[in-house]
Amino acid sequence: MKQHLCILLLIFCTSSFSQDIPLYDFIRHGDYLDMKLSPDGKHLLARVRVDGKIGVLFLRSKDMAYIGGVRPREGDEIHSAQWINNERVIYQYAEQRMRLDRPVATGEIFATNIDGSQAEFLYGYRASEGPSSSRIKKRESTRATPYIISQLEDDDDHILIIEHPWTLKNNQLWDLRLKAPVISKLNIYNGRKRKIQTISHPGATVLATSKGEVKFMTWSDENNNIFTAYRENSKSAWKDFNLSLNAKRKFIPVVVDDTSDNIYFKGYNEALTILNLYKYNTQSKQLTEVFSDLTTDLTIWSFDHLNYQPIVGVSQPDKTSYHYAEGTSPKVKIHKMLVEAFNHQTVLITSQSKTSKLMLVHVSSDINPGEFYLFNTETMDAKFLWANRSWLDPRQLQPKQAFSFLTKDKIKIHGYLTMPAKSNDTEKVPLVVKVHGGPHQTRDYWEFDGEVQLLANKGYAVLEVNYRGSAGYGKVFEKRGYLEWGGTMIDDIIEATQHTISQGAIQADKVCIYGGSYGGYAALMSAVRAPDLFKCTIGYVGIYNLHYAYSESDTMLSLGGEAYLQKVLGTDKALLDEFSPVNHVDKIKAKVLLIHGEKDTRVPVINALKMREKLQEVGKEVPYISFKKSGHGVYDEEGRKQLYEAVIDFLDTNIGAKSN
């Protein structure tokens, strides 16, 4: 293995060199997207983008020989695929619709053998076999979103699914999770299904054993209170799990150990500062933390499928950190060796053969868009399979540098700074503050980001700030952002910008702020709150009048949507007015660029139109780019090219080479 990896390590240890890379190389979609290993380890399925279409390839693992595949219909793409047994794969389409540039998942399931035989349309609104006078049950049409909850290890012909029925609103069908879901057994060869039971709570998720016994369900009510219930078997009554623990915290089940009395949950510690994995023993009634050395939330975890022992957890206080569980799994040692061999990048075991002889390993980092390796646990050899976005050379990309600082009110804020290649150490560079969206379910990570790399390649430093309210730093940190969208959250962004400038590498008079969704809002609101700090600002699908979250957004259609907005935004009219940048256009000194999709239902285009109108009323000229078929973000590559050419030109004109 060491011999095989020496070339890889040379690539990543080589000093970077500056080279202007074509814009299209950063904004085009990835090509090698996903791989999974068959249960016997003999074959791989791979989702691959070729000529703009995402299809599935079947490959022989020993020599990567092509066995077969599935081509999508014109304009569509296959958005997920998985093995059901050694010969059969199921997959789902995302359908290209005339009014949108982004394919939309249809809730349909297809299946095929890897040799192309027994291809079937199993499930969906167009799956009906039509009327029949026979008593034999026919495949039926279903308008719902399905998820596999068990592959039923003792049944070669069926899988267990949960179906979330769609709701008709405004003459359209929506997956709003307003109806009670149904558990069904689906035949993977002919698509016929049998209803097993109805789950009483709309939008509930369930956890089943490998044999198909549904033991846990989790749901939320209209006020977004989370509940988890369990039962011993299908004939037992449901019991409130958190109530039985007498715990104020909420625990959500993630894995049932079929070989013991252990169940694994995710949940916060008592101080609500860290999200961790917990083991609960149904006999001893003891709840114990799985990982003991976390400083930020657990983001990913993996289990040994042979004995259900936890292997490793991943968190990102700055770069990727690994946390190993106590136990007997030999894969802990293997993972540690892989992390060392791959120079401490993000290393994940994504799938493995049933015997664990072969493992599929995914490796990525801030300058590595992702690679797959096939690792043999007997020979200890890692065979390179392919790299996503292979047209990008990691040596030409710029690393993310983690930083943290204390705000004026003594809150620790984390983030990343990506510097462009410079001709000398004393050269100061312009800065783009890139604000993430969400804002409360997301954060910026130490990972490859094509947008960041594009900006850095064009000569800009890029600042990413995990302001209070961001995910990943505990529930207390997230709650600090509630009702503070235009308050202390913006303060954090402004102070992080000032902190970065104070370090001496940034041209203080050449700073622009940019973001999408909440990031678009924050870009405009920061220009309101700190008018002399930012030379320009770019709002991309941003909300600029917070009242529109209630009156225009599709958030209000979903269960708990209104309660969520009341929790994070509040209903105080004066506060919503104060925190809406559309009401403060007279304070904005920065040059403004607005970008929006006309089909955006999350943040409708009225936001950009009204913001532009108000800016024009006070004499500001505002370039505006509208995308007729785009929703909450531009997906089409030609549209993305137009978008980022405009962004780079706007930056160059205001803080770059073209600016005064």
Side-chain angles (χ1 to χ4, degrees):
M1 178 178 176
K2 290 182 179 179
Q3 184 178 6
H4 174 78
L5 291 177
C6 65
I7 296 176
L8 174 77
L9 296 182
L10 279 173
I11 290 175
F12 281 97
C13 291
T14 303
S15 59
S16 63
F17 56 91
S18 176
Q19 181 175 330
D20 188 42
I21 301 172
L23 177 145
Y24 183 64
D25 285 356
F26 293 107
I27 59 92
R28 61 192 285 202
H29 297 303
D31 49 353
Y32 295 129
L33 306 175
D34 189 20
M35 296 188 82
K36 293 184 176 70
L37 193 62
S38 64
D40 61 9
K42 293 181 180 179
H43 296 96
L44 294 159
L45 71 80
R47 285 197 313 121
V48 183
R49 189 188 308 272
V50 180
D51 297 328
K53 302 179 179 68
I54 298 177
V56 170
L57 302 180
F58 304 126
L59 309 166
R60 196 163 56 209
S61 60
K62 69 177 181 180
D63 56 7
M64 294 294 284
Y66 173 75
I67 303 299
V70 180
R71 288 180 61 87
R73 297 166 300 193
E74 185 64 32
D76 295 349
E77 59 185 46
I78 296 175
H79 75 84
S80 66
Q82 67 186 91
W83 294 98
I84 298 301
N85 54 45
N86 290 323
E87 67 170 11
R88 196 150 182 82
V89 168
I90 66 171
Y91 58 95
Q92 296 190 17
Y93 271 132
E95 181 181 26
Q96 184 70 59
R97 298 182 178 174
M98 290 296 292
R99 67 185 191 90
L100 290 172
D101 67 347
R102 181 188 300 270
V104 178
T106 61
E108 296 171 313
I109 300 177
F110 301 79
T112 184
N113 289 345
I114 59 175
D115 62 3
S117 64
Q118 299 190 63
E120 286 287 343
F121 189 168
L122 297 182
Y123 181 98
Y125 70 97
R126 296 177 294 185
S128 175
E129 290 180 315
S132 173
S133 59
S134 169
R135 292 185 179 182
I136 298 174
K137 183 174 177 60
K138 294 290 185 179
R139 186 173 62 230
E140 61 189 75
S141 173
T142 308
R143 288 170 168 77
T145 300
Y147 296 96
I148 298 173
I149 57 175
S150 177
Q151 295 198 10
L152 302 177
E153 66 176 21
D154 295 332
D155 186 340
D156 294 333
D157 296 332
H158 296 88
I159 56 176
L160 200 66
I161 63 172
I162 184 169
E163 308 173 68
H164 293 280
W166 297 341
T167 301
L168 185 64
K169 287 269 190 180
N170 303 324
N171 295 318
Q172 291 187 53
L173 287 167
W174 301 75
D175 181 11
L176 298 176
R177 309 294 164 98
L178 297 176
K179 298 180 180 179
V182 175
I183 307 294
S184 299
K185 185 179 284 189
L186 179 69
N187 189 297
I188 62 172
Y189 290 97
N190 59 32
R192 293 165 194 162
K193 65 184 174 77
R194 177 169 63 89
K195 178 180 175 180
I196 304 299
Q197 68 178 111
T198 299
I199 301 297
S200 56
H201 301 284
T205 59
V206 299
L207 189 66
T209 68
S210 60
K211 299 182 187 299
E213 202 166 38
V214 178
K215 289 204 165 187
F216 285 87
M217 65 174 173
T218 301
W219 72 97
S220 57
D221 62 15
E222 292 183 351
N223 295 314
N224 291 314
N225 297 309
I226 298 175
F227 303 90
T228 295
Y230 77 101
R231 63 184 180 184
E232 297 297 328
N233 54 60
S234 59
K235 296 181 180 179
S236 303
W238 289 102
K239 300 177 182 178
D240 187 306
F241 177 75
N242 290 296
L243 189 63
S244 68
L245 282 181
N246 194 26
K248 295 181 180 179
R249 295 171 285 162
K250 303 299 183 183
F251 294 96
I252 298 175
V254 294
V255 172
V256 176
D257 184 349
D258 287 355
T259 65
S260 73
D261 299 315
N262 294 327
I263 304 157
Y264 293 89
F265 295 81
K266 66 176 181 179
Y268 288 95
N269 59 5
E270 290 186 4
L272 300 180
T273 54
I274 301 293
L275 182 72
N276 203 341
L277 199 65
Y278 291 82
K279 180 174 73 174
Y280 178 73
N281 187 279
T282 56
Q283 296 302 312
S284 68
K285 309 298 183 185
Q286 287 190 327
L287 184 75
T288 56
E289 284 187 340
V290 173
F291 305 107
S292 59
D293 55 345
L294 292 166
T295 58
T296 56
D297 289 355
L298 193 69
T299 57
I300 306 171
W301 53 84
S302 63
F303 282 78
D304 189 329
H305 71 296
L306 293 179
N307 60 13
Y308 290 92
Q309 289 283 334
I311 303 171
V312 60
V314 176
S315 69
Q316 282 211 4
D318 39 55
K319 293 185 177 182
T320 299
S321 293
Y322 300 101
H323 314 275
Y324 295 98
E326 295 181 1
T328 58
S329 175
K331 292 169 188 172
V332 169
K333 183 178 179 181
I334 289 173
H335 188 270
K336 288 181 177 179
M337 181 189 67
L338 288 168
V339 170
E340 186 69 26
F342 284 107
N343 202 28
H344 297 273
Q345 297 182 75
T346 302
V347 180
L348 304 173
I349 300 170
T350 59
S351 64
Q352 52 199 297
S353 62
K354 197 168 185 178
T355 63
S356 291
K357 176 184 175 181
L358 294 176
M359 295 178 176
L360 201 59
V361 178
H362 186 262
V363 181
S364 63
S365 74
D366 54 342
I367 58 173
N368 179 2
E371 301 165 335
F372 279 100
Y373 292 81
L374 189 63
F375 181 69
N376 188 311
T377 59
E378 294 180 357
T379 63
M380 305 299 280
D381 176 62
K383 179 172 70 174
F384 172 76
L385 300 179
W386 63 27
N388 188 25
R389 301 174 187 259
S390 59
W391 54 82
L392 289 173
D393 185 342
R395 293 172 298 178
Q396 297 177 23
L397 305 180
Q398 297 301 117
K400 287 189 176 186
Q401 305 166 15
F403 74 91
S404 64
F405 75 101
L406 282 178
T407 63
K408 292 176 182 177
D409 58 349
K410 307 304 179 185
I411 302 298
K412 190 173 187 179
I413 301 297
H414 296 262
Y416 299 95
L417 178 66
T418 303
M419 294 293 291
K422 298 192 296 182
S423 58
N424 60 72
D425 292 338
T426 61
E427 178 188 1
K428 292 191 176 185
V429 295
L431 174 69
V432 176
V433 182
K434 178 178 173 290
V435 187
H436 72 75
H440 302 300
Q441 289 80 41
T442 58
R443 56 159 285 190
D444 289 313
Y445 291 93
W446 184 78
E447 63 185 3
F448 174 81
D449 186 322
E451 200 172 57
V452 169
Q453 293 299 331
L454 167 62
L455 294 170
N457 186 256
K458 301 308 177 187
Y460 298 100
V462 185
L463 177 65
E464 299 171 277
V465 185
N466 285 323
Y467 45 80
R468 74 190 75 191
S470 301
Y473 301 90
K475 183 57 72 173
V476 169
F477 186 82
E478 180 184 317
K479 287 182 175 180
R480 289 185 188 277
Y482 294 174
L483 308 182
E484 291 289 347
W485 278 31
T488 54
M489 291 168 70
I490 301 299
D491 289 340
D492 292 346
I493 295 167
I494 292 170
E495 289 185 42
T497 304
Q498 293 168 335
H499 168 81
T500 302
I501 293 171
S502 72
Q503 304 305 299
I506 302 300
Q507 272 187 281
D509 62 341
K510 291 193 174 185
V511 180
C512 192
I513 185 165
Y514 159 73
S517 196
Y518 174 83
Y521 162 83
L524 271 296
M525 199 64 204
S526 294
V528 170
R529 295 280 310 281
D532 296 317
L533 181 60
F534 301 104
K535 189 94 176 276
C536 61
T537 179
I538 305 172
Y540 176 32
V541 295
I543 181 170
Y544 309 120
N545 184 335
L546 294 185
H547 292 282
Y548 287 157
Y550 290 97
S551 64
E552 308 292 335
S553 174
D554 63 5
T555 301
M556 290 289 287
L557 296 178
S558 60
L559 179 69
E562 183 174 5
Y564 170 76
L565 292 176
Q566 290 174 350
K567 177 175 68 175
V568 301
L569 283 180
T571 56
D572 185 289
K573 183 181 183 301
L575 186 66
L576 295 177
D577 286 341
E578 178 63 26
F579 283 174
S580 294
V582 73
N583 297 325
H584 304 288
V585 292
D586 57 316
K587 299 176 183 176
I588 297 176
K589 296 181 180 180
K591 296 291 185 180
V592 179
L593 170 64
L594 296 176
I595 306 165
H596 222 97
E598 292 187 13
K599 303 300 183 184
D600 194 342
T601 57
R602 181 55 44 85
V603 181
V605 68
I606 189 175
N607 282 275
L609 298 177
K610 286 295 184 181
M611 189 70 200
R612 186 188 190 205
E613 178 185 309
K614 290 294 185 181
L615 284 163
Q616 289 175 330
E617 286 178 3
V618 294
K620 298 183 186 297
E621 194 173 318
V622 184
Y624 172 55
I625 306 174
S626 172
F627 292 89
K628 290 184 178 180
K629 289 188 175 183
S630 293
H632 199 51
V634 179
Y635 180 83
D636 174 74
E637 284 187 354
E638 193 56 41
R640 286 166 58 82
K641 182 173 179 290
Q642 178 189 349
L643 186 158
Y644 286 106
E645 283 177 343
V647 166
I648 295 300
D649 185 64
F650 183 76
L651 292 173
D652 287 349
T653 299
N654 288 285
I655 62 170
K658 299 179 186 178
S659 64
N660 296 325

